Amino acid sequence: MTLSITVRPEKKKPFWRGLLSKGPVRGLLALIFWLLVWQLAAVTVGEELLLPSPRKVAAALVSLAGDSLFWQAAGASLLRMGAGFAAAVVVGCLSAAATVRFRVAELLLSPLLRTVRAVPVASFIILLLIWVHTDALPAAASFLMVTPVIWGNVEKGLRAVDRQLLEMAQVFRFTRTRTLLRVRVPSVMPYFLSACTTGLGLAWKSGIAAEVIARPLLSIGRQLQNAKVYLETAEMFAWTLVVAALSLLLEKLLVTAVRRVGRRWGAEEAGTGPGGV
């Protein structure tokens, strides 16, 4: 009796499936799809004042980019939100360390930070209008919105540090500084990086909202408000696209920096065994 085995040739995947598996191609196709939806909606509405077409918005964006005021406003807004975000990272980390280390700090700071996290950003902006100069208000709003996020994540990371690692550090007689750098920081880093990614978007959105209300001289928020007042809908859409593009760019830069920092701390943590100390 002869047993015969037939090997069927493997079917090749269609070419278009291979293209769809690539991230940039999928992103481009999604962008084209939504641009077509936008164009169809603009044609259906038939009124540029209510919904300008993508071509009109693109023309307005090109016109804005040729004006030095555009770059000055974008740069000033980036500086304000960057300052607020950086201050929030420092204060949030210090607050987390204090609430974990000291019972009194936890009793005093935790309710305050939880309250700040629960209050809508618009309420803080209105209050800050009374206390803070208009140029500093966007940075202050970003700071207040981001600090509880950094604090909450970093505190959670500090409380989640593996006790066995801390005991090992004591066995090998690590100094406090070495324990901090080799045990606590690598353990907290994922929580910290997640907080930074979330906080950056929150800082940008709350800062722009503050600029729209406070209207600093050089700011994206002021330009958005002016476009609304003068019924320049295409220009308002163009500024909105600028806000979205800058937000995505900042997030991309932060994620890249985060990955490098994470690899650095991960490599250091990998070498902290008994033979690597």
Side-chain angles (χ1 to χ4, degrees):
M1 182 177 179
T2 304
L3 180 62
S4 61
I5 300 176
T6 304
V7 179
R8 295 181 179 179
E10 186 179 352
K11 292 183 179 180
K12 293 183 178 180
K13 293 183 179 180
F15 174 73
W16 60 271
R17 284 192 179 180
L19 282 177
L20 289 178
S21 64
K22 299 178 180 179
V25 175
R26 290 202 305 267
L28 179 61
L29 291 176
L31 176 62
I32 293 172
F33 171 79
W34 288 113
L35 284 175
L36 290 174
V37 171
W38 182 1
Q39 177 64 33
L40 180 61
V43 171
T44 302
V45 172
E47 181 56 62
E48 294 285 349
L49 185 63
L50 298 177
L51 183 61
S53 65
R55 183 182 61 82
K56 273 278 189 182
V57 174
L61 184 58
V62 171
S63 177
L64 288 173
D67 188 353
S68 61
L69 180 62
F70 170 86
W71 301 103
Q72 292 172 7
S77 294
L78 284 171
L79 286 175
R80 291 188 189 96
M81 267 60 94
F85 176 76
V89 169
V90 174
V91 174
C93 289
L94 293 176
S95 299
T99 54
V100 171
R101 181 68 178 83
F102 304 106
R103 179 65 177 168
V104 175
E106 182 181 6
L107 291 173
L108 294 176
L109 292 179
S110 292
L112 174 63
L113 291 169
R114 294 181 192 280
T115 302
V116 171
R117 184 166 55 187
V119 175
V121 62
S123 300
F124 273 122
I125 293 172
I126 294 172
L127 287 173
L128 289 172
L129 279 171
I130 304 173
W131 302 328
V132 181
H133 191 272
T134 54
D135 286 338
L137 193 146
S142 298
F143 169 77
L144 284 174
M145 291 297 103
V146 177
T147 299
V149 175
I150 302 293
W151 163 77
N153 274 39
V154 173
E155 185 194 40
K156 188 182 297 183
L158 287 172
R159 296 189 186 279
V161 174
D162 192 343
R163 296 300 171 187
Q164 293 182 348
L165 291 176
L166 295 175
E167 291 174 2
M168 184 198 72
Q170 289 181 348
V171 169
F172 287 97
R173 297 182 180 179
F174 279 18
T175 62
R176 289 187 177 182
T177 303
R178 202 169 192 182
T179 302
L180 174 66
L181 296 178
R182 295 299 185 92
V183 179
R184 295 188 186 275
V185 171
S187 299
V188 175
M189 191 59 66
Y191 296 88
F192 172 72
L193 300 181
S194 175
C196 285
T197 305
T198 304
L200 183 62
L202 188 60
W204 185 242
K205 287 185 286 188
S206 59
I208 294 296
E211 286 185 345
V212 170
I213 296 175
R215 301 185 67 193
L217 184 59
L218 290 175
S219 65
I220 293 177
R222 184 185 183 92
Q223 301 305 318
L224 271 169
Q225 184 69 4
N226 287 343
K228 171 185 173 293
V229 170
Y230 295 111
L231 300 178
E232 297 287 348
T233 312
E235 188 173 318
M236 187 168 63
F237 269 71
W239 278 111
T240 304
L241 289 178
V242 170
V243 171
L246 287 176
S247 178
L248 292 174
L249 177 61
L250 290 173
E251 183 177 348
K252 184 69 174 178
L253 292 174
L254 180 64
V255 167
T256 302
V258 157
R259 286 176 179 172
R260 290 183 179 180
V261 172
R263 282 196 297 266
R264 176 177 179 272
W265 284 110
E268 290 187 2
E269 185 183 8
T272 57
V277 178

